[in-house]
Amino acid sequence: MKFNKKIIVASLSTALGLGIVGSITGTVAWYSYNTRVTSSIVGVSQAKSGILQFSLDGLNWKNTFFTNDIIKSVVPASTANEFGFEQMTFGALGANGVLPAQGYAQPEAGHGAYSEWNEATNGKEYLQFDLYIKAEQLNNATGLYERVAKDVFLTDITLEDVDDVNKPIVDAFRIHLHSVNAPTQNYLISKNEVTNLNLYSDNLDLDGLDGRDKVSGYEYDGPFNWCMYGNDGDKQTTSEVADVVAGVDTDETIIDTSSTNPKLFKATTTTAGDNLHFVVTMWLEGWHNLEADTPMWDTVKTKSAQFHVGLTFNAGIDVFD
C-alpha cells in the first residue's frame, strides 16, 4: 500500500472576544470539532510505498495530530484549554522577512511606544511551534523504511471566517513560516496580499472618549500632544495564500512546481537524518485595517468572531513511484 503524502498540520477553530476599550485583552475558546490532523491511505502496489512523517519535537513521529497536541507542545497541559489569540504585532515585517524576537500587545490609551505595551507571550497572545518533516520509502530488499530526499510543497492554506458577513476577522490573521534548514526561507502569509500596511497611528481612540488619544499626562488636545502608537514609519507586507501554495489536480498530483515563481513554498527532505524543520507562528495582527483606516486596536466588531486556520504539506501522489 502507499500513503497519501498529505497532512493538515493544524485546523484551528477559534472565537475571539474583545476586552474593555483601552486594554483589548481578548479571549479565545477552542472547540473540539474540525481539529483532527490525519493522512489517508490509497491502494497501490507495495513496491511504491512511501510516507511523509511529521513531528512537533523531532523525536516522536506520527501521522495523526490533534490541535491539542500542537497547543500542548507550547503551553503546559494544565493551562492548554485556556490558550487564546489576542490582537498583537511583531512590528515592521516584510513578506520574506525574519520574524522579530519580540511581539507586543494590549496598548494602553496614551502610551504609544512598544516599550510601554505588554510584551506578547507564546501560548498566550499568539501561537508558535516547531514542525519537523521527513520522507521514508520502503526498501523491498530489507523490508524496512529508509530516508529518501523528496520535494515537499505547501499545497493548501485554509483561512476562512465562520461568519464572513457579520464577524469577518480572518483577513487580520497572519502565518509566518521560517525554514531552519539551509537555504533559509521566510514567508509571511495572509488571506489576501497586504502591501505596506502602516504599523503606526496618531489617530486611535482607545480611551473611549471623543477624538484621538492624547499622550498620557497631557490635557491640551492638539497635534503636538496626540499619541503616536507604534513606530512612525513601520510597514508590513505579506504574501497572499494563492502566491505561496502549489497547485494540485484531482488525484493529488502537484502541477505547480515552477521555479520561476519566487513566492512558491518548497523544501526538500534529506537522506542524512536532517529533518525539515520549520517554525510556524500564528497571530492576529492588531494593525490590520478591518475597515478603512481602522486597525483592530480600535474596533469592537471582532467580538465573538470565529475562524478556521489550516496548513497542508504535500509531496504529491506519485512521488514514491
Side-chain angles (χ1 to χ4, degrees), residues 4-10 38-39 52 54 129 131-133 151-157 175 177-178 189 248 252 254 265-267 276 278-280 282 310-316:
N4 185 3
K5 283 65 64 183
K6 177 179 179 181
I7 189 165
I8 299 175
V9 174
T38 186
S39 57
L52 285 183
F54 298 80
F129 59 93
L131 175 67
Y132 301 87
I133 305 175
D151 291 340
V152 177
F153 296 86
L154 183 59
T155 57
D156 186 59
I157 301 175
I175 301 173
L177 297 177
H178 168 65
I189 304 167
V248 293
E252 294 297 335
I254 297 174
F265 183 92
K266 173 185 174 182
L276 285 182
F278 304 101
V279 178
V280 184
M282 299 177 174
L311 302 174
T312 301
F313 290 91
N314 201 330

Side-chain angles (χ1 to χ4, degrees), residues 259-274:
S259 61
T260 61
N261 182 352
K263 296 182 179 180
L264 185 68
F265 183 92
K266 173 185 174 182
T268 304
T269 64
T270 72
T271 58
D274 297 325

